[in-house]
Amino acid sequence: MTAVVEVRGVQPTPREGRAAFKAWPAVRRWANLPMLFFVVVMLATAGLSLQVPSDRMAWIFALQLIALYGFIGLSALAHGKVMAMSRAVPISRRPVDWRIDNQAVTVSSADFDSRVGWRSVVAVVEEKDRLIFAASPNTNFILPLRVLDAHQITTVRAIVADVRARGVLGAGVD
C-alpha cells in the first residue's frame, strides 16, 4: 500500500491541544494515584474519628474537606499553568506541515523537522475532534480532524490499519 496524506499549515486550537490521556491509560492511572491515596486516607481518618467526641469530629471533617478541595484546586491550577506555558512557546504558535505515509509520520515547520517511524509510534488514537500519534507520554503529535477532508481521513485510517496489520505500529517499543 502506497498512500500519502499531506496537510499544510496545521495549527491546533487550545482545545485540540489538550492532554492526550486516552493515548496513555497507564500514565493516567499513575497520575490519579495521589488523589486516590488522599481519598483513602480521608476515609480512614473519618472512620477513625467516629471514636472521637462529636465536637472534634466536625473539625476533623471540615479540615479534610478543605484539604481535599485545596489539593484538587492546586492540582488544577498547576495543570492550567503548564498548559498555558506550553501554548506560549514559539514552536506551538506556528503552523506545521504534516505528511503521513506507510513509513512514518512527519511533522515540520520552518524551524523544525520531526519524523517518527511507525515502529516508534506506540498508539494512534482517534477522538471526535483529533488524531493522536503517541510516541512517548510527553511527545504526542496531534492532528485536528477539521483540517482533513473525508478522503484524507479515510486514507489515514487505511494507513494506520495497514501498519497495525503488518505489526509495524509500536514494534520498536519495548
Side-chain angles (χ1 to χ4, degrees):
M1 173 181 168
T2 308
V4 176
V5 173
E6 290 185 343
V7 186
R8 302 224 178 270
V10 176
Q11 193 163 15
T13 64
R15 169 97 176 110
E16 292 163 341
R18 66 191 179 276
F21 287 122
K22 288 185 180 175
W24 300 99
V27 172
R28 188 175 192 168
R29 282 192 294 275
W30 280 103
N32 288 331
L33 196 58
M35 185 59 161
L36 178 64
F37 174 76
F38 197 67
V39 169
V40 168
V41 168
M42 284 185 65
L43 290 174
T45 305
L48 292 173
S49 66
L50 292 175
Q51 318 298 328
V52 177
S54 62
D55 61 330
R56 290 190 182 160
M57 193 167 82
W59 279 102
I60 291 171
F61 186 71
L63 289 174
Q64 284 185 330
L65 282 179
I66 291 168
L68 174 65
Y69 286 110
F71 183 79
I72 293 170
L74 289 174
S75 297
L77 178 67
H79 178 72
K81 290 292 184 187
V82 168
M83 293 306 292
M85 287 173 24
S86 300
R87 288 189 296 269
V89 296
I91 199 167
S92 67
R93 292 191 316 243
R94 295 190 181 116
V96 296
D97 300 331
W98 281 73
R99 177 184 167 87
I100 303 169
D101 59 31
N102 62 345
Q103 299 298 313
V105 174
T106 306
V107 181
S108 60
S109 76
D111 298 323
F112 78 94
D113 192 19
S114 183
R115 181 183 180 279
V116 182
W118 286 110
R119 294 176 48 82
S120 296
V121 176
V122 176
V124 178
V125 178
E126 184 174 345
E127 294 182 343
K128 66 179 182 198
D129 61 340
R130 65 189 184 156
L131 284 165
I132 302 168
F133 298 86
S136 76
N138 62 349
T139 306
N140 299 292
F141 299 97
I142 297 172
L143 179 61
L145 290 175
R146 66 178 163 74
V147 301
L148 301 171
D149 61 34
H151 175 69
Q152 289 174 317
I153 292 172
T154 303
T155 305
V156 169
R157 287 177 182 152
I159 292 169
V160 171
D162 178 56
V163 295
R164 276 191 182 124
R166 290 186 294 139
V168 177
L169 182 66
V173 181
D174 294 331

